[in-house]
Amino acid sequence: MAITHNSYFDGTVQSLRFDFGNAGATVGVLSPGAHVFNLKSRETMTVVAGEMFVTINDAAEFPAPAGTTFDAPEGCTLRMRCDVDTAYLCQFH
């Protein structure tokens, strides 16, 4: 298994990624701020600690505190706004 470190948005998002079969996952931390990702595949996101406010495409923003799991479809724009450091697990499908 190969583990890859990724850093986005001038280091405000840090993650470790590993792939298995046709899928994969990342675990990481988002610093306070707004972070926008254009997804290539469907993702299931679980907020492990902290809280984020999520917008998928142009839908209404919703809160996602620790313990929340949500799905983001392939090809969408995923916006995550954090007021505190927030840890996550993201599974790719």
Side-chain angles (χ1 to χ4, degrees):
M1 167 177 60
I3 297 174
T4 305
H5 173 255
N6 293 303
S7 177
Y8 304 97
F9 308 110
D10 295 324
T12 61
V13 177
Q14 301 282 325
S15 69
L16 295 175
R17 178 184 175 123
F18 65 99
D19 294 302
F20 52 95
N22 293 331
T26 61
V27 292
V29 176
L30 300 107
S31 295
H35 315 286
V36 179
F37 291 90
N38 295 306
L39 304 187
K40 295 179 182 173
S41 63
R42 183 172 68 89
E43 297 183 5
T44 300
M45 178 81 70
T46 300
V47 181
V48 176
E51 179 177 34
M52 63 177 72
F53 298 88
V54 179
T55 305
I56 299 172
N57 290 329
D58 294 324
E61 182 180 78
F62 62 90
T68 301
T69 297
F70 62 89
D71 286 316
E74 176 182 352
C76 79
T77 299
L78 174 62
R79 293 175 181 85
M80 298 174 286
R81 182 175 57 82
C82 302
D83 295 331
V84 298
D85 290 334
T86 301
Y88 66 89
L89 164 66
C90 180
Q91 297 172 285
F92 306 100
H93 304 280

